[in-house]
Each structure stands twice: as structure tokens, then as C-alpha cells.
Amino acid sequence: MNEPDLRGVERRIFGTDSLEDVRDWLAQHVKVGLGTTIEEITFRAGDIGAVFGLRLADGRDVVLKAARPEANPQRLDAVVSAQNRLAAAGFRCPSVLDGPNTTAGITAVIEQVIGGTSTGSPHNAGTRMTMARGLAVQIGLLRGVDGSALVPGRLAWANWDSGAWPVPHDSIFDFTAPVAGFEWLDAAADNAARVLQSVELPAVIGHSDWVWQNVCIRDDELLAGYDWDSLIYAPESAIVGIVASSFTQGSPVPPDAPTSAEIDAFIADYQAAAGRQFTEIEQHVARAAVTWVRCYNARCQLDNLTRRNMTPPAGSFIEQLQVEFG
């Protein structure tokens, strides 16, 4: 490990401030799960879970993801089942090699490493179409699979059950105190949530965080998709709206937030890839999901900027929504 200190999510999961304790746990878990030892920890990452790149003594490179203590076991099982189903069908996602299994009270999965280096930008039309097509293919492969176990414990940006606001996906954010001058943001989120709460459409399984930083695309070809913990079970058009509202996040070319025109184009690209047009009610649901997620992301940005006494950057979720609702 290169970093001298544990990150916040690591301390929360492992209940320690000691890197040696984490190393010992990783060694024990890998030995039991894969029957080998760790040669090197190649990277550490993750905000929701603790993620480790591991080079094993048997020559394999794997990724281990340790879940937060409150993670729902049935949800973890459902994620792994869906992920392995996609991988077996040839979709470009890592196969899970072990787990979810628990060592010393900490649950983790270990998956293979696939991918490469992305080229281009999600702001490019061809790349955007590749992302839309990837979402359509995964939803198609999982259509008809019961994903009800994915509903409890889904991440906050896809949880509109109580309106504005759910407990944030990351503890660095605090949504408990309203921000003066941005009451319109709370109202817009609540209105979108009411639409999503009232809809009665068939649910499907899809990736709710299908954004640039969670895919690898080279020359408009999808090489890999990551972060399958973000799978949800919701109406198809709601999933498309969620993704359309944020697919550019992590882009090497600003802005980080998609423009309204790009959101419209992503939804159109998805329908073209899926080979069907959304009905009027599906379009309504997609638009509500777009608003909900843009508001959620803006609320995260607002909390961060307020604490740092900064103004929103050009093209941010906050700036875009101010034009529409502020």
C-alpha cells in the first residue's frame, strides 16, 4: 500500500486505523477464498465499499471489494448472480471468483480483472451511443430475472422512496440542513420522486451508475463495465433516465454533467439500441428520473461547495438546474 493512512471507508469497514490489520485480513480472506497468497496490493479505491487490486502468488490479478457493515446480504447475492449471468453471456463485465463470503465479520467479493485504457470522451456522439448500447444489452440479457432482492439497500441516487432527501451514498455529505436560496432544489426533487413513487411499470435489472468512470471504452468499443454493486430493479425507463442524467461523470473533457441536449440524445440512443420507443408514460418516468438524479447530484455538489465556500463550476449540475428551476 502506498498511502500512509487508511481512508475513511476503510476505517469504517475494518474498524481499525492499522494498515497491518487490513493486510492481515486481506491475506486471510484470500487464502480461504482462493487458496493462495497475496504478492502485492496494486491499488486501493472505493467510496461506498473498500476496493483493493491484488496480485496473487499464483500469477492472477484480482479485485477484492469489501462491503460496508450495513450492506444487505441478499442484495449482495443478487448482484453477484446477475453479474455472473452477464459475464457468462459474453457481456464485458468481470466474473466473480469468490463470494460474497465473510471473514471475521467482513463480507467481500473477489472478481477477475478486465479492461484497459479508455479513449475519447462521453461527450462524443459515438461514445455516447456505445454507452447507451451497453446499457440496452445488459438490461436485455437480464430481462425477466427477478431482481426484487436488489430493492432493499439500493444506493441513494436511485432511492426516491422518501423524496428529498435519502441518506447520502457517502458519509462526507450532509443533507440534514436545508441550504438557503436552494429550496427550489428540494421541491424539484420531491416532485420528481412523487412521479417515480406512483408509477406502475414492469421492473428490470440495470446498472444505475453506468457513467464514464465506471466503463472502459476504446475507439467506441465497450471493453468493460465496473461497479456492479450499483445494479437496481426498477422500471426500464427510470434506469435509462438515471443513467442519461449523469453518464458523463468522470469525463476527461468538461463538463462533468451532461447538457440537456446530451440527456435527450442518450435517451434516444438507448431506444434505438433497444429497438423500441418508450411509451408516453415511460417517457414521463424517464424525465422524472432525470430530474431526480440531477437534483441528487446537485445536492451533493451543493453540500461540498457550501462547506468550502466555493461557487459551482461552469456546466455543473447546480448551474444547469438553476436555469430550469432556480
Side-chain angles (χ1 to χ4, degrees), residues 49-320:
V51 181
F52 302 88
L54 306 175
R55 182 157 296 137
L56 306 181
D58 61 13
R60 286 181 292 175
D61 285 308
V62 300
V63 173
L64 181 148
K65 298 180 177 181
R68 290 182 179 184
E70 68 270 20
N72 183 289
Q74 289 74 35
R75 178 178 167 78
L76 293 175
D77 286 337
V79 166
V80 168
S81 176
Q83 186 174 341
N84 280 340
R85 189 183 187 102
L86 287 172
F91 190 84
R92 296 292 295 170
C93 71
S95 296
V96 176
L97 305 174
D98 178 71
N101 285 320
T102 302
T103 298
I106 301 167
T107 301
V109 300
I110 304 173
E111 60 185 37
Q112 68 175 163
V113 174
I114 62 170
T117 303
S118 293
T119 60
S121 154
H123 294 291
N124 298 335
T127 306
R128 184 191 65 232
M129 182 66 205
T130 299
M131 292 185 69
R133 187 183 303 114
L135 183 64
V137 170
Q138 65 179 257
I139 287 177
L141 289 171
L142 295 172
R143 195 179 299 277
V145 176
D146 180 12
S148 54
L150 295 168
V151 175
R154 65 193 187 279
L155 296 170
W157 61 78
N159 184 359
W160 43 77
D161 288 355
S162 300
W165 296 103
V167 176
H169 67 283
D170 193 318
S171 59
I172 67 170
F173 300 115
D174 181 6
F175 292 175
T176 57
V179 180
F182 287 87
E183 294 82 2
W184 57 266
L185 183 62
D186 301 346
D190 273 330
N191 289 337
R194 279 193 285 271
V195 173
L196 294 164
Q197 291 162 11
S198 65
V199 69
E200 294 184 7
L201 289 171
V204 297
I205 299 174
H207 199 308
S208 70
D209 202 21
W210 191 247
V211 300
W212 181 253
Q213 64 197 21
N214 286 331
V215 298
C216 179
I217 294 175
R218 175 172 285 277
D219 299 328
D220 293 344
E221 178 186 356
L222 178 65
L223 300 184
Y226 311 110
D227 193 28
W228 294 94
D229 298 347
S230 298
L231 284 175
I232 60 169
Y233 191 55
E236 181 176 3
S237 61
I239 296 174
V240 175
I242 288 171
V243 175
S245 68
S246 53
F247 74 96
T248 55
Q249 284 189 291
S251 171
V253 178
D256 199 50
T259 65
S260 294
E262 288 176 319
I263 291 171
D264 292 344
F266 187 97
I267 294 172
D269 287 345
Y270 179 89
Q271 291 172 95
R276 75 179 189 89
Q277 294 296 302
F278 287 154
T279 64
E280 185 176 347
I281 184 61
E282 286 177 313
Q283 290 283 2
H284 188 50
V285 167
R287 292 298 166 187
V290 164
T291 298
W292 167 260
V293 176
R294 293 174 87 192
C295 288
Y296 179 86
N297 288 335
R299 187 64 183 84
C300 291
Q301 289 181 337
L302 187 60
D303 180 73
N304 189 28
L305 294 170
T306 300
R307 282 186 281 109
R308 299 185 183 191
N309 196 28
M310 297 169 61
T311 56
S316 68
F317 289 99
I318 298 173
E319 184 182 80
Q320 292 186 18

Side-chain angles (χ1 to χ4, degrees), residues 1 3-11 14 16-19 22 44 52:
M1 294 186 182
E3 297 179 56
D5 299 313
L6 288 182
R7 301 163 67 246
V9 69
E10 293 168 338
R11 287 193 293 272
F14 294 98
T16 181
D17 288 320
S18 167
L19 286 173
V22 175
R44 293 159 58 194
F52 302 88

